[in-house]
Amino acid sequence: MDRIEACEKKFHQLFGGAKPNSGEGSDPELLQILQRLIFGEISYTGPLDDRMRELITCVVLAAYQCLPQLKSHSAAALYTGVTPLELREAIYSCMPFIGCPKTLNAISAVNDTFTAQGISLPIEGAERVSEDERMEAGRKIQESIYGTEIRDEFSSLPEPFNREVPDILTGWYFGDFCTRGVLDAKTRELLSLVLLAALGAEKQLGAHVSGCLKAGATQEEIYNALLHALPYMGFPLGVNAIRIARQCLEAPGDAR
């Protein structure tokens, strides 16, 4: 099966029978280049299934505020079997990485897709811990994967920032989001990894490669997640992320 045939097959699988561009519009050649790369080549490379690939695509599009494309890929995610809860959770979990305003824009786009699909809003809640429990529950999740690395790093800041900076991370990301369930630890770590890659956050990438391994991801899944995100983030950021992942995975004493 060549790239054109593969693209047509994958497009059909993701978009409910739709066909890739065959010459329509003002820039058909550009669309054919990107569709054949993404849907005819990269979508067949590596072990990740279509559900995970679409979650990766959605969070990267959220990071870049590509909202029309996010609506399309939200529909594709649902079509491949991602549940509304899983898709919503993936977008919610972007907030500590891309900030509040961008996450609100992204979830609004996803909600438009839900409405178009006949999914009533709001969908069911996923909160599992109380306000009083969130910090301790988040700390347990954080330390099981990352130890006390963040707390140790900021311990030399003056009062109260030596406590507040690591506590905000612990409470916000791990306490408010990771305690919600819905997505397993491996999925969350792989999505975090591609978000950091998309943002060019090279310093944090290494820690999250190790975090992916500790959460149960394989080397192949880590490389696959970064490769799948590459066409959306561009070659320089994508290749830099893959290079950092390789350095971490090949380092003596890594988490494998």
Side-chain angles (χ1 to χ4, degrees):
M1 183 167 56
D2 63 25
R3 285 204 319 165
I4 295 175
E5 293 172 324
C7 178
E8 290 177 351
K9 179 180 178 182
K10 185 61 65 178
F11 218 79
H12 181 90
Q13 291 172 344
L14 296 179
F15 299 105
K19 295 183 179 180
N21 189 282
S22 59
E24 306 84 11
S26 57
D27 297 283
E29 293 175 328
L30 182 63
L31 287 173
Q32 288 167 1
I33 288 170
L34 77 86
Q35 288 174 349
R36 290 169 188 175
L37 172 66
I38 295 172
F39 304 111
E41 188 171 353
I42 286 180
S43 291
Y44 290 91
T45 303
L48 296 180
D49 62 17
D50 286 339
R51 295 174 69 262
M52 188 66 209
R53 291 175 190 271
E54 284 305 307
L55 286 175
I56 288 169
T57 301
C58 285
V59 299
V60 175
L61 292 173
Y64 290 144
Q65 296 291 276
C66 300
L67 303 183
Q69 292 85 358
L70 177 56
K71 290 181 182 181
S72 296
H73 280 278
S74 295
L78 295 172
Y79 196 77
T80 61
V82 174
T83 69
L85 273 174
E86 289 170 332
L87 179 54
R88 184 191 66 180
E89 202 62 34
I91 300 300
Y92 276 18
S93 296
C94 293
M95 187 176 277
F97 297 92
I98 67 175
C100 300
K102 289 180 179 179
T103 305
L104 291 174
N105 289 345
I107 199 60
S108 179
V110 171
N111 284 341
D112 286 346
T113 299
F114 287 160
T115 300
Q117 297 275 338
I119 299 167
S120 298
L121 298 174
I123 59 177
E124 63 187 278
E127 187 177 69
R128 293 187 176 181
V129 298
S130 69
E131 181 68 17
D132 292 338
E133 297 168 331
R134 61 183 279 275
M135 184 63 74
E136 183 58 29
R139 183 174 288 113
K140 287 181 180 178
I141 295 172
Q142 180 183 19
E143 292 184 358
S144 70
I145 300 175
Y146 297 103
T148 60
E149 176 183 345
I150 296 297
R151 189 165 300 279
D152 296 342
E153 181 176 352
F154 291 104
S155 62
S156 61
L157 289 176
E159 292 278 355
F161 307 104
N162 59 338
R163 297 189 313 275
E164 286 298 317
V165 172
D167 279 355
I168 286 173
L169 172 62
T170 299
W172 193 22
Y173 179 60
F174 294 99
D176 287 336
F177 293 106
C178 292
T179 59
R180 291 167 58 83
V182 184
L183 301 177
D184 62 27
K186 183 174 82 169
T187 299
R188 287 186 182 276
E189 284 300 314
L190 287 171
L191 294 180
S192 297
L193 184 71
V194 298
L195 280 166
L196 291 168
L199 296 171
E202 296 185 358
K203 185 178 187 301
Q204 292 82 2
L205 268 173
H208 278 268
V209 170
S210 177
C212 284
L213 291 170
K214 289 178 180 178
T218 65
Q219 293 186 56
E220 290 76 14
E221 288 171 326
I222 291 169
Y223 286 130
N224 198 174
L226 294 171
L227 176 64
H228 191 80
L230 186 150
Y232 302 98
M233 68 178 73
F235 206 84
L237 285 172
V239 169
N240 284 347
I242 291 170
R243 183 180 295 115
I244 290 168
R246 183 186 65 186
Q247 290 170 351
C248 295
L249 292 168
E250 292 179 353
D254 64 25
R256 282 173 291 173

